[in-house]
């Protein structure tokens, strides 16, 4: 998983205000509910020492996601009177939270983006007889996204009405158009729902490589919900699945590790590789909890297991930080990716490993 969407968070030094709250609109009087939630968080931030000007910056965007229907949440980050990031959460946070700290509390946002599977969703509707000789229209909707974040931030949508008499011929052109689109977004799958006859016509005209990635789904295929196209079906298809890109990184790690190549495992060796900017992808069996701690300096690569080691690097004011906050900053600051892999797939020493950009005599083992 690439973390470049978090880069705006680290453009300014801290301290940072990090807010997560439920902004669902499937309840009675949602605006009132959101206002009450925010007031509790505002009071909490005030007690933590947040100045009124920064609170006003946060308040301006709280609940501003009025165009997103249904259950969802909001993640907001600000520092020094400036809004840094306002992101939608596919699921409401388990608990509303607000933190004012030297590093942004970004891991809950990352967690809701994992595994970030790119896809195309396509629905084809036709209510007439399954023959090209009748009158009527075939309606097609298509949308690209990255699951699960796209549930509440759907991408651009293609909408077409095609005369059923020309559907067979038009499907050839559409097949190539969808193939180009899938290549552009590196889609792992094409999730297709709707009318069986019209969908089959389109599927048979897709290029072979794309046809093999089609997943047919049943159920409601409404296209005007304001949420992701085929959202319920996407959640069923992708639940528990790893993105193909991440799977490839895991396979490379396994191969390199077996040959004692550019890969490392265990907490100490992995942190040492992060200090050197060697890590191309950090592999974790579990995302770290806030109770785990690391020592961090002013630069992303200044990350250690002990205070003494950080002082030895010349850091005059070492800080002990939650491991999740420190790791995310280091990954974003060094351009490294994050891969969460189940222990059943790959059990890592101490639950952590890294695929390296290079190995040299100084690489820790």
């Amino acid at each position: 998983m690439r973390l470049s969407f978090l880069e705006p968070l680290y453009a300014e030094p801290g301290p940072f205000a990090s807010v997560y709250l439920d902004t669902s609109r499937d309840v009675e009087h949602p605006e009132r509910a959101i206002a009450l939630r925010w007031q509790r968080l505002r009071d909490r931030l005030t007690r933590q020492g947040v100045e009124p000007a920064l609170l006003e910056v946060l308040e301006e965007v709280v609940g501003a996601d009025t165009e997103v229907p249904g259950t969802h949440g909001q993640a907001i980050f600000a520092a020094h009177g400036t809004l840094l990031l306002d992101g939608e959460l596919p699921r409401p946070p388990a608990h509303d939270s607000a933190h004012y700290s030297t590093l942004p509390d970004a891991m809950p946002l990352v967690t809701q983006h994992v595994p970030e599977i790119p896809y195309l969703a396509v629905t084809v509707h036709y209510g007439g007889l399954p023959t090209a000789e009748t009158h009527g229209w075939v309606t097609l909707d298509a949308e690209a996204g990255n699951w699960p974040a796209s549930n509440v931030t759907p991408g651009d949508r293609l909408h077409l009405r095609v005369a059923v008499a020309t559907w067979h011929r038009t499907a050839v052109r559409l097949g190539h158009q969808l193939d180009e689109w899938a290549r552009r977004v590196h889609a792992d799958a094409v999730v297709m729902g709707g009318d069986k006859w019209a969908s089959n016509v389109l599927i048979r005209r897709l290029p072979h490589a794309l046809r093999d990635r089609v997943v047919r789904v049943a159920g409601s295929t409404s296209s005007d919900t304001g949420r992701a196209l085929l959202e319920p079906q996407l959640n069923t298809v992708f639940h528990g699945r790893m993105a193909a890109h991440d799977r490839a990184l895991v396979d490379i790690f396994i191969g390199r590790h077996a040959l004692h190549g550019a890969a490392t495992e265990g907490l100490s060796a992995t942190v040492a590789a992060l200090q050197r900017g060697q890590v191309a992808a950090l592999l974790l069996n579990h995302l770290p909890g806030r109770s785990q701690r690391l020592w961090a300096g002013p630069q992303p690569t200044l990350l250690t297991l002990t205070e003494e080691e950080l002082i030895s690097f010349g850091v005059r004011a070492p800080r002990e930080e939650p491991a999740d906050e420190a790791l995310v900053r280091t990954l974003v600051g060094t351009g490294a990716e994050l891969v969460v892999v189940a222990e059943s797939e790959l059990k890592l020493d101490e639950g952590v490993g890294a695929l390296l950009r290079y190995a040299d005599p100084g690489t820790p083992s």
Side-chain angles (χ1 to χ4, degrees):
M1 175 183 173
R2 298 175 178 89
L3 299 176
S4 55
F5 71 97
L6 292 177
E7 289 176 356
L9 281 184
Y10 303 95
E12 298 287 341
F16 300 86
S18 307
V19 173
Y20 291 88
L21 76 161
D22 185 342
T23 52
S24 299
R25 301 188 180 277
D26 60 342
V27 297
E28 189 175 4
H29 306 301
E31 300 300 334
R32 184 187 306 169
I34 294 169
L36 289 172
R37 291 177 181 276
W38 164 240
Q39 187 57 55
R40 288 194 291 269
L41 296 181
R42 182 180 177 123
D43 292 343
R44 191 177 306 170
L45 288 171
T46 299
R47 291 193 296 271
Q48 294 177 40
V50 177
E51 65 275 15
L54 188 56
L55 292 172
E56 292 304 316
V57 168
L58 294 167
E59 187 161 313
E60 284 183 8
V61 295
V62 166
D65 53 350
T66 55
E67 75 285 354
V68 182
T71 59
H72 63 280
Q74 199 173 5
I76 311 169
F77 304 87
H80 304 294
T82 301
L83 178 68
L84 301 177
L85 186 65
D86 175 17
E88 304 299 335
L89 302 174
R91 302 178 305 278
H95 305 284
D96 294 339
S97 65
H99 298 286
Y100 191 52
S101 55
T102 52
L103 295 177
D105 180 21
M107 188 61 83
L109 178 58
V110 171
T111 301
Q112 292 227 24
H113 277 255
V114 172
E116 198 168 65
I117 299 176
Y119 67 88
L120 279 183
V122 182
T123 64
V124 184
H125 293 285
Y126 171 62
L129 296 173
T131 171
E133 297 176 357
T134 189
H135 297 288
W137 298 90
V138 175
T139 302
L140 178 140
D141 287 278
E143 182 179 272
N146 288 284
W147 184 87
S150 56
N151 280 350
V152 289
T153 55
D156 293 334
R157 183 173 296 184
L158 172 68
H159 176 78
L160 294 173
R161 290 181 75 233
V162 181
V164 68
T166 66
W167 178 234
H168 284 82
R169 296 194 305 275
T170 304
V172 175
R173 176 178 57 79
L174 284 174
H176 289 293
Q177 185 176 348
L178 292 174
D179 184 54
E180 291 175 4
W181 196 358
R183 291 173 185 272
R184 191 164 61 250
V185 301
H186 306 287
D188 285 10
V190 178
V191 182
M192 187 171 297
D195 173 72
K196 186 175 181 179
W197 171 78
S199 297
N200 285 341
V201 170
L202 178 60
I203 291 171
R204 285 196 297 269
R205 283 153 179 78
L206 293 175
H208 287 287
L210 188 61
R211 192 186 310 167
D212 292 340
R213 280 179 277 160
V214 171
V215 180
R216 293 292 300 269
V217 294
S220 173
T221 59
S222 174
S223 61
D224 58 356
T225 63
R227 306 273 294 199
L229 187 65
L230 293 175
E231 178 186 347
Q233 292 90 336
L234 294 174
N235 295 336
T236 300
V237 169
F238 295 133
H239 179 72
R241 181 167 167 173
M242 181 179 287
H245 174 74
D246 289 354
R247 168 68 62 188
L249 293 177
V250 170
D251 290 343
I252 294 171
F253 173 87
I254 292 171
R256 287 188 185 176
H257 195 264
L259 298 173
H260 306 287
T264 194
E265 194 174 4
L267 184 60
S268 179
T270 301
V271 169
L274 287 166
Q275 293 168 357
R276 291 160 55 93
Q278 284 180 276
V279 175
L282 178 70
L283 278 62
L284 297 175
N285 285 144
H286 304 284
L287 293 170
R290 292 191 62 81
S291 61
Q292 297 174 268
R293 315 291 286 187
L294 289 170
W295 288 86
Q299 301 302 321
T301 53
L302 291 172
L303 182 74
T304 65
L305 299 177
T306 67
E307 181 181 14
E308 292 75 18
E309 185 182 5
L310 198 56
I311 291 174
S312 73
F313 289 158
V315 178
R316 296 182 179 179
R319 304 186 310 270
E320 192 178 25
E321 304 283 6
D324 57 351
E325 295 181 8
L327 279 174
V328 171
R329 184 188 68 155
T330 298
L331 295 178
V332 174
T334 59
E337 297 188 48
L338 174 65
V339 178
V340 180
V341 55
E343 288 187 1
S344 59
E345 299 276 346
L346 173 65
K347 186 173 176 59
L348 297 161
D349 182 21
E350 297 183 282
V352 61
L355 182 64
L356 305 181
R357 295 185 171 104
Y358 66 91
D360 60 20
T363 298
S365 60

